[in-house]
Amino acid sequence: MSALVLKPGEGRAVGVVGDVYTVKTSGKETGGAYSVMEALVPPLGGPPPHRHAREAEAFYVLEGEMEFIADGQRSVGSAGTWVSLPKGSLHRFRNIGDTPARMLILIVPAGLEEFFLEVGLDAGMIAADEPATIDPRQIEKMLATAPKYGLEIVPLEH
């Protein structure tokens, strides 16, 4: 392994459920120890409830106002908020503000970033300043691919 320096806007970016995730460092660069992604979440954007069987996950809000729901506990955080989730926690996050939100996501151990890269769309197709729109074909692909990565995606209750 060698040092890795990425400048703003660099890294592999993909669109997943209307959000843009940029891999800043993957397990390939860290020997599998961890990965870090930057998330750009449009207003009302965010993933469906899910849990990871293999990884702990943490979020650091850089911009915007995010709602986090983890194991039934709701919290709201703006810039500077840190959220740590243990492996197996049922969780989701959502941008509840009027502008795009940005977060860093730490994943330990690495590997989940590969799920995003596998199911993601070309990030150029995503307009982060507009409410998220979700392509049903991507949801189908996510549901089919999730078990390979130890993910359980739970449908939202209406």
Side-chain angles (χ1 to χ4, degrees):
M1 293 187 307
S2 60
L4 173 68
V5 176
L6 294 180
K7 297 193 174 162
E10 293 182 337
R12 185 156 171 211
V14 293
V16 179
V17 294
D19 304 344
V20 176
Y21 295 91
T22 302
V23 177
K24 292 300 189 178
T25 193
S26 72
K28 293 174 183 145
E29 290 91 26
T30 67
Y34 66 93
S35 62
V36 175
M37 295 188 298
E38 179 180 18
L40 184 61
V41 184
L44 305 177
H50 61 281
R51 66 172 47 97
H52 310 275
R54 303 174 187 161
E55 306 88 10
E57 191 172 31
F59 305 88
Y60 184 74
V61 180
L62 298 167
E63 298 172 5
E65 187 173 17
M66 297 296 296
E67 172 188 60
F68 296 90
I69 299 175
D71 296 325
Q73 179 182 348
R74 179 184 183 268
S75 59
V76 173
S78 56
T81 298
W82 175 264
V83 176
S84 294
L85 300 176
K87 178 173 43 174
S89 172
L90 179 61
H91 63 283
R92 73 177 302 228
F93 57 82
R94 183 170 64 116
N95 178 352
I96 58 173
D98 296 332
T99 60
R102 256 182 355 111
M103 299 187 298
L104 289 178
I105 303 173
L106 171 66
I107 303 161
V108 178
L112 186 63
E113 71 279 9
E114 298 298 330
F115 170 78
F116 287 82
L117 296 173
E118 185 170 336
V119 304
L121 304 171
D122 176 4
M125 298 171 56
I126 308 297
D129 57 346
E130 297 176 10
T133 56
I134 299 173
D135 183 338
R137 292 170 297 182
Q138 187 179 46
I139 296 296
E140 289 174 18
K141 186 174 183 180
M142 290 172 62
L143 291 171
T145 307
K148 174 179 170 182
Y149 293 93
L151 271 174
E152 177 188 2
I153 299 173
V154 179
L156 281 170
E157 295 177 15
H158 296 283

